[in-house]
């Protein structure tokens, strides 16, 4: 209901913006950001594209941080739509402009490098993913410090690449380092910290360290229930991960109980035909 209301309101604002000439770049950016947040990717792309045109008309073809930000945002929309080549093209434009206007050792530059690393990882280009995430990590360590939240994000991103490649000890090492930073920067009662507990727990479970994994996954579930609520899809994922680990410990009844809870949440939050719902049926 909130999503529908927000999109309707944004639509009315868009109509008003068009009637008044359509050149308010701040309004366009805010509308696009709202559409992106609520998953209305086509509308987000429409507003970011219009915002880009305004930037180019008012700022010219020369590199500018505001134009770079819009290119980066367009990249984010394309990434969420699975259009990875288009995303990379927008990210490259953003990166070139940030380096030209702000320099290499800036948080904005690191953010684009990180976004590119995520795309390369999803696209199966692990070496390029590692290269870009390592560059982002080096910049964030220098500019923001070792204990900053986004430094932890870079470590988490590197861990995900290692995990996808089956390099479990390296993945565990980086997930553990990210968890330490998130706990220090955000505290234990935060969804990002919960995800870090779950990530490390999954890797340790895959490495056969099921007792240690059980403790981490239990903590991740506890935090998600407290911060996101019982009916959230991420809470369901935590129940699912814990159920998988309990299976490995031969605690079959407890595993099935967790799978049933996960399934019930997913049916309500995601629907019967969602991939995550299907995965839980498979686990059961």
């Amino acid at each position: 209901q909130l999503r529908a209301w927000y999109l309707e309101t944004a639509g009315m604002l868009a109509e008003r913006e068009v009637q008044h000439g359509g050149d308010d770049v701040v309004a366009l950016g805010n509308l696009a950001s709202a559409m992106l947040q609520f998953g209305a990717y086509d509308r987000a792309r429409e507003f970011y594209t219009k915002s880009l045109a305004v930037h180019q008309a008012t700022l010219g073809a020369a590199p500018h941080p505001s134009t770079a930000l819009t290119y980066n945002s367009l990249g984010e929309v394309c990434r969420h739509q699975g259009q990875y080549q288009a995303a990379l093209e927008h990210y490259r434009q953003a990166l070139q402009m940030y380096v030209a206007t702000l320099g290499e050792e800036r948080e904005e530059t690191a953010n684009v490098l990180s976004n590119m690393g995520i795309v390369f990882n999803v696209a199966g280009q692990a070496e390029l993913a590692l290269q870009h995430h390592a560059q982002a990590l080096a910049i964030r360590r220098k500019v923001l410090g070792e204990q900053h939240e986004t430094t932890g994000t870079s470590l988490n991103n590197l861990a995900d690449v290692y995990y996808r490649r089956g390099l479990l000890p390296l993945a565990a090492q980086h997930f553990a380092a990210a968890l330490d930073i998130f706990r220090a920067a955000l505290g234990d009662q935060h969804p990002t910290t919960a995800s870090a507990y779950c990530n490390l727990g999954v890797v340790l479970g895959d490495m056969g360290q099921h007792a240690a994994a059980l403790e981490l996954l239990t903590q991740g579930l506890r935090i998600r229930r407290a911060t996101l609520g019982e009916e959230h899809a991420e809470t369901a994922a935590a129940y699912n991960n814990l159920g998988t680990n309990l299976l490995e410990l031969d605690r079959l009844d407890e595993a099935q109980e967790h799978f049933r809870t996960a399934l019930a949440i997913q049916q309500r939050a995601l629907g019967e035909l969602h991939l995550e719902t299907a995965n839980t049926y498979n686990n059961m």
Side-chain angles (χ1 to χ4, degrees), residues 187-225:
D188 259 345
Q189 297 302 308
H190 194 281
T192 300
T193 308
S195 294
Y197 274 113
C198 291
N199 289 339
L200 183 55
V202 168
V203 176
L204 293 183
D206 288 349
M207 294 172 66
Q209 301 178 31
H210 298 300
L214 180 66
E215 182 178 346
L216 291 162
L217 293 170
T218 300
Q219 180 71 346
L221 173 60
R222 184 181 300 118
I223 297 170
R224 281 182 174 169
R225 291 180 67 189

Side-chain angles (χ1 to χ4, degrees), residues 4-257:
W5 173 85
Y6 206 108
L7 293 179
E8 181 181 356
T9 302
M12 290 189 294
L13 289 172
E15 290 297 326
R16 185 182 305 171
E17 175 269 326
V18 169
Q19 292 171 5
H20 286 79
D23 60 354
D24 188 340
V25 71
V26 175
L28 285 168
N30 290 339
L31 284 167
S33 179
M35 295 297 179
L36 177 59
Q37 180 180 354
F38 280 91
Y41 300 126
D42 288 337
R43 297 303 304 278
R45 192 169 188 168
E46 174 190 341
F47 289 126
Y48 278 132
T49 300
K50 193 168 185 179
S51 176
L52 178 62
V54 174
H55 279 307
Q56 292 172 331
T58 56
L59 300 173
H64 191 281
S66 295
T67 309
L69 176 61
T70 305
Y71 272 118
N72 184 65
S73 298
L74 275 167
E76 288 292 272
V77 175
C78 291
R79 176 168 69 85
H80 281 92
Q81 291 182 309
Q83 300 175 11
Y84 300 130
Q85 191 57 44
L88 286 172
E89 290 173 7
H90 290 308
Y91 287 145
R92 289 189 181 104
Q93 289 273 18
L95 182 62
Q96 290 171 4
M97 288 192 175
Y98 277 139
V99 171
T101 57
L102 301 178
E104 289 189 3
E105 294 183 345
R106 287 290 297 257
E107 182 178 359
E108 294 87 347
T109 304
N111 291 343
V112 181
L113 287 166
S114 181
N115 290 338
M116 293 177 73
I118 291 170
V119 172
F120 284 127
N121 192 28
V122 174
Q125 301 182 56
E127 290 302 325
L128 284 171
L130 288 173
Q131 175 187 331
H132 284 75
H133 283 315
Q135 286 180 269
L137 175 61
I139 295 170
R140 286 169 170 171
R141 278 174 163 162
K142 186 169 186 177
V143 174
L144 302 172
E146 185 67 39
Q147 296 301 312
H148 194 276
E149 174 190 351
T150 53
T151 304
T153 299
S154 282
L155 288 164
N156 192 80
N157 290 338
L158 280 167
D160 190 56
V161 180
Y162 289 129
Y163 181 70
R164 286 171 180 258
R165 296 187 67 184
L167 301 172
L168 300 186
L170 276 173
Q173 174 188 336
H174 284 75
F175 277 138
L179 174 59
D180 287 343
I181 292 173
F182 291 142
R183 292 185 67 192
L186 303 172
D188 259 345
Q189 297 302 308
H190 194 281
T192 300
T193 308
S195 294
Y197 274 113
C198 291
N199 289 339
L200 183 55
V202 168
V203 176
L204 293 183
D206 288 349
M207 294 172 66
Q209 301 178 31
H210 298 300
L214 180 66
E215 182 178 346
L216 291 162
L217 293 170
T218 300
Q219 180 71 346
L221 173 60
R222 184 181 300 118
I223 297 170
R224 281 182 174 169
R225 291 180 67 189
T227 57
L228 300 175
E230 187 69 27
E231 295 298 310
H232 198 281
E234 292 297 315
T235 304
Y239 274 112
N240 218 342
N241 290 335
L242 193 51
T244 300
N245 194 70
L246 288 165
L247 272 183
E248 296 296 333
L249 291 168
D250 292 325
R251 294 163 61 172
L252 305 185
D253 290 342
E254 292 175 79
Q256 286 299 316
E257 179 184 347

